[in-house]
Amino acid sequence: MQAGHAPQRGPLAFSVDVRHAYFDDVGASVPVAWQLVEPPPARFSTLGLVVHVGPKGLSVFRSEGSGGDAAAADLVFRLTATDPAFSSYTDIGIADPDSTLWFDSAAAPATDGDSDTARRLHVGATASAADRVAREALPLSRSITQHAAPALVGFVRIRWSSADPPGQAWLIAFDARAVVWKYSVRGASGRALSIRDADGQVDFEPATATPLPGDTGTVVLRSTAAIPFRQHSPRRFQLMEATPHGERFLIHRLPVASPSALARETVNGCDLMVAEIDVDL
């Protein structure tokens, strides 16, 4: 995305970096796209601003030759996901389906706990969704909000002034979705199975038989706590079998969960999001 028509960039006005805990590298490119919503391009150009989108986020520069005239504006950008699986591995909780996720510099925390100098645009790993009244009060037409594409992540609003210190660094940090891992082990009839975490961090419930039509040999083992997704998960879960001669390894490293295998289950009266993983013996 490029807004404004200045031939060269001047000093950095501000930047917005995006990070995601799902990816292995803290500096990895997050699959999101930016679109200027407000002000209109002509107004943006008269402010002497130029936008550059890089792999790690958005940077807004003052154009070369833009004077010191006082100027101020609310800059609103639409943030969309370019990865169809983004919502599957991203922890964004929106209680009201009519609400919209907003990252707003006017509501940003006064301080940030990160070791770098970027100031977080929200509290916690992801921002809370603005309620309907607050959303409609923001300088954005309702038609854009109500008819956003399915890939919509949310909106970013930076209240910018030419009097601001140059180079302000903002940060949006997404958390990875955490779900219960559910292993369905086929061919387990009459065998005493369990799962052990080689790193000793995660426990699994005892194996329970799953009554399926024509199948008496499938058992299910669920993690006792939700586990965050990772692009390349470091988990080392091992399938064990108890025998008269002691425990033995059946599988030294079980496959890890994928965001593409999510399902909802009711377990002990609780509605759970689980990642299903099938294993054959």
Side-chain angles (χ1 to χ4, degrees):
M1 177 189 69
Q2 186 76 20
H5 304 284
Q8 294 184 353
R9 301 175 199 159
L12 177 66
F14 66 86
S15 62
V16 184
D17 289 343
V18 181
R19 300 178 191 171
H20 202 305
Y22 172 78
F23 297 99
D24 301 325
D25 181 3
V26 69
S29 175
V30 179
V32 293
W34 299 78
Q35 178 185 2
L36 178 66
V37 175
E38 288 201 0
R43 167 62 176 156
F44 196 90
S45 180
T46 62
L47 292 170
L49 298 177
V50 178
V51 176
H52 173 73
V53 177
K56 297 180 183 179
L58 176 93
S59 299
V60 174
F61 298 86
R62 299 293 304 275
S63 61
E64 288 287 356
S66 57
D69 295 341
D74 282 358
L75 310 179
V76 181
F77 301 90
R78 180 182 176 199
L79 200 62
T80 56
T82 57
D83 181 357
F86 186 84
S87 61
S88 298
Y89 57 73
T90 304
D91 183 15
I92 300 178
I94 299 180
D96 179 358
D98 288 331
S99 62
T100 304
L101 197 63
W102 281 90
F103 302 94
D104 194 338
S105 66
T111 59
D112 190 90
D114 287 353
S115 58
D116 55 28
T117 57
R119 182 178 170 189
R120 198 181 292 263
L121 279 168
H122 52 93
V123 176
T126 52
S128 298
D131 63 30
R132 201 174 312 171
V133 174
R135 179 194 65 190
E136 292 176 356
L138 290 169
L140 182 69
S141 68
R142 293 182 57 186
S143 61
I144 294 176
T145 303
Q146 294 177 345
H147 300 290
L152 174 69
V153 174
F155 294 89
V156 180
R157 180 174 71 174
I158 303 296
R159 290 189 166 177
W160 172 82
S161 168
S162 57
D164 292 342
Q168 171 70 65
W170 298 101
L171 172 66
I172 296 172
F174 289 104
D175 201 1
R177 182 194 291 271
V179 300
V180 170
W181 288 24
K182 172 191 170 183
Y183 285 93
S184 296
V185 183
R186 292 188 287 261
S189 180
R191 308 177 76 164
L193 304 182
S194 62
I195 292 179
R196 173 191 298 169
D197 181 2
D199 299 317
Q201 298 177 349
V202 179
D203 294 323
F204 281 80
E205 297 174 352
T208 57
T210 302
L212 297 173
D215 176 13
T216 59
T218 298
V219 298
V220 167
L221 303 97
R222 297 181 183 86
S223 62
T224 59
I227 304 169
F229 282 121
R230 291 291 183 269
Q231 185 181 26
H232 300 100
S233 179
R235 301 296 179 180
R236 295 187 299 158
F237 297 146
Q238 302 163 331
L239 186 63
M240 313 295 297
E241 180 179 20
T243 73
H245 306 290
E247 273 194 323
R248 71 186 184 101
F249 289 97
L250 291 181
I251 300 177
H252 283 267
R253 190 162 193 161
L254 286 163
V256 299
S258 167
S260 64
L262 288 175
R264 284 199 175 276
E265 285 191 358
T266 301
V267 180
N268 297 325
C270 297
D271 183 34
L272 298 178
M273 179 72 75
V274 302
E276 297 182 323
I277 311 163
D278 293 326
V279 178
D280 291 308
L281 289 183

